[in-house]
């Protein structure tokens, strides 16, 4: 069993290892869908992208992102998951219905940090910037 905390709802649930995050949330009356999501959700088949959650902590205790998630969440930060594609393998803290604007900002910052890291890796002998004298 693993303890899963839903931060916004301030609710903790016990989940069996190997259980599906969406299923456990619904089973415990945790609402993971926005209003539009309730109307358009695909039923957990990874087709609609409406079950997005943000992993606050314990991401290492969840199954890795699937190819479907990589495609559907490309504009979201790496901490976002589709609940229906996430298998619980240990304790974690989850934020349901993450704010879209904040999420996009976080993803943009993440992408910029990756680009800076890539550029510094590409030119390891680049002299350090000199200060204006
Ligand atoms: S419920 Fe449709 S992608 Fe998760």
């Amino acid at each position: 069993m693993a303890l899963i905390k839903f931060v916004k709802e301030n609710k903790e649930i016990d989940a069996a290892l190997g259980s599906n995050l969406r299923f456990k949330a619904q089973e415990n009356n945790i609402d993971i869908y926005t209003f539009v999501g309730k109307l358009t959700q695909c039923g957990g088949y990874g087709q609609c992208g409406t079950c997005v959650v943000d992993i606050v902590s314990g991401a290492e205790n969840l199954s890795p992102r699937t190819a479907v998630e990589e495609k559907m969440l490309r504009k979201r930060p790496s901490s976002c998951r589709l609940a229906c594609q996430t298998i619980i393998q240990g304790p974690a803290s989850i934020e349901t219905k993450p704010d879209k604007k904040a999420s996009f900002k976080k993803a943009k910052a993440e992408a910029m940090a990756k680009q800076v890291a890539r550029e510094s890796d590409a030119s390891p002998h680049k002299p350090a910037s000199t200060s204006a004298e």
Side-chain angles (χ1 to χ4, degrees):
M1 297 294 264
L3 191 69
I4 303 296
K5 181 173 185 176
F6 290 91
V7 178
K8 279 184 181 170
E9 295 78 6
N10 195 25
K11 191 172 182 179
E12 293 181 344
I13 64 165
D14 275 325
L17 300 181
S19 56
N20 178 280
L21 181 59
R22 173 184 177 269
F23 179 77
K24 290 308 291 183
Q26 289 186 321
E27 192 179 68
N28 288 278
N29 297 318
I30 305 287
D31 188 11
I32 60 168
Y33 295 107
T34 59
F35 177 72
V36 173
K38 284 181 183 78
L39 301 173
T40 60
Q41 58 115 342
C42 67
Y45 292 100
Q47 301 296 307
C48 66
T50 60
C51 62
V52 177
V53 294
D54 200 357
I55 311 304
V56 177
S57 67
E60 69 279 7
N61 296 328
L62 302 171
S63 60
R65 266 186 174 194
T66 63
V68 166
E69 288 178 282
E70 290 298 343
K71 186 178 175 192
M72 295 197 104
L73 301 174
R74 64 183 176 273
K75 290 183 180 175
R76 298 274 193 157
S78 58
S79 59
C80 281
R81 299 293 309 269
L82 294 178
C84 70
Q85 302 296 302
T86 305
I87 303 300
I88 297 165
Q89 298 171 335
S93 291
I94 312 293
E95 181 185 340
T96 57
K97 297 178 252 182
D99 179 63
K100 237 181 187 177
K101 278 185 184 173
S103 198
F104 290 158
K105 256 187 188 174
K106 195 174 164 185
K108 202 172 179 181
E110 214 174 63
M112 284 175 72
K114 274 185 192 170
Q115 187 177 350
V116 167
R118 256 196 317 266
E119 285 172 6
S120 65
D121 282 351
S123 56
H125 302 293
K126 188 178 174 182
S129 64
T130 55
S131 60
E133 290 179 29

Coordinates of all heavy atoms in Angstrom, one line a residue, residues 22 33 41-44 46-51 82 84, ligand 1:
R22 N -6.1 7.5 -11.6 CA -7.5 8.1 -11.9 C -8.5 7.2 -11.2 O -9.4 7.8 -10.6 CB -7.7 8.0 -13.4 CG -9.1 8.4 -13.8 CD -9.3 8.2 -15.4 NE -10.6 8.5 -15.8 CZ -11.6 7.6 -15.9 NH1 -11.3 6.3 -15.5 NH2 -12.8 7.9 -16.2
Y33 N -11.5 16.2 -12.7 CA -11.8 16.9 -13.9 C -12.4 18.3 -13.7 O -13.1 18.5 -12.8 CB -12.9 16.0 -14.6 CG -12.4 14.7 -15.1 CD1 -12.8 13.5 -14.5 CD2 -11.6 14.6 -16.2 CE1 -12.4 12.3 -14.9 CE2 -11.1 13.4 -16.6 CZ -11.5 12.2 -16.0 OH -11.1 11.0 -16.4
Q41 N -14.4 13.9 -21.1 CA -13.4 12.9 -20.8 C -13.6 11.6 -21.5 O -14.7 11.2 -21.8 CB -13.3 12.7 -19.3 CG -14.6 12.3 -18.6 CD -14.6 10.9 -18.0 OE1 -13.7 10.1 -18.3 NE2 -15.5 10.6 -17.2
C42 N -12.5 10.9 -21.8 CA -12.6 9.7 -22.6 C -12.8 8.4 -21.8 O -12.8 7.3 -22.4 CB -11.3 9.6 -23.4 SG -9.8 9.3 -22.4
G43 N -12.9 8.5 -20.5 CA -13.1 7.3 -19.7 C -11.8 6.6 -19.3 O -11.8 5.4 -18.9
G44 N -10.7 7.3 -19.4 CA -9.4 6.7 -19.0 C -8.6 6.0 -20.0 O -7.8 5.2 -19.7
G46 N -6.6 7.6 -22.3 CA -5.5 8.4 -22.7 C -5.8 9.2 -24.0 O -4.8 9.5 -24.7
Q47 N -7.0 9.5 -24.3 CA -7.3 10.1 -25.6 C -7.7 11.6 -25.4 O -7.6 12.3 -26.4 CB -8.5 9.4 -26.2 CG -8.3 7.9 -26.5 CD -7.2 7.7 -27.5 OE1 -7.2 8.3 -28.6 NE2 -6.2 7.0 -27.2
C48 N -8.1 12.1 -24.3 CA -8.7 13.4 -24.2 C -7.8 14.4 -23.5 O -7.9 15.6 -23.7 CB -10.0 13.4 -23.4 SG -9.9 12.9 -21.7
G49 N -6.9 14.0 -22.6 CA -6.0 14.9 -21.9 C -6.7 15.7 -20.8 O -6.1 16.7 -20.4
T50 N -7.8 15.3 -20.4 CA -8.5 16.2 -19.4 C -8.3 15.7 -17.9 O -8.7 16.4 -17.0 CB -10.1 16.1 -19.6 OG1 -10.5 14.8 -19.5 CG2 -10.5 16.7 -20.9
C51 N -7.5 14.7 -17.7 CA -7.3 14.2 -16.4 C -5.9 14.6 -15.9 O -5.3 13.9 -15.1 CB -7.4 12.6 -16.3 SG -6.3 11.8 -17.4
L82 N -1.0 12.4 -16.9 CA -2.4 12.0 -17.1 C -2.7 11.0 -16.0 O -2.1 9.9 -16.0 CB -2.6 11.5 -18.5 CG -2.4 12.4 -19.7 CD1 -2.6 11.7 -21.0 CD2 -3.3 13.6 -19.6
C84 N -5.0 8.9 -15.7 CA -5.5 7.6 -16.3 C -4.3 6.8 -16.8 O -4.5 5.6 -16.9 CB -6.5 7.8 -17.3 SG -5.9 8.5 -18.9
Ligands
LIG1 S1 -9.3 10.4 -19.0 FE1 -8.9 10.9 -21.1 S2 -6.8 11.1 -21.1 FE2 -7.2 10.5 -19.1

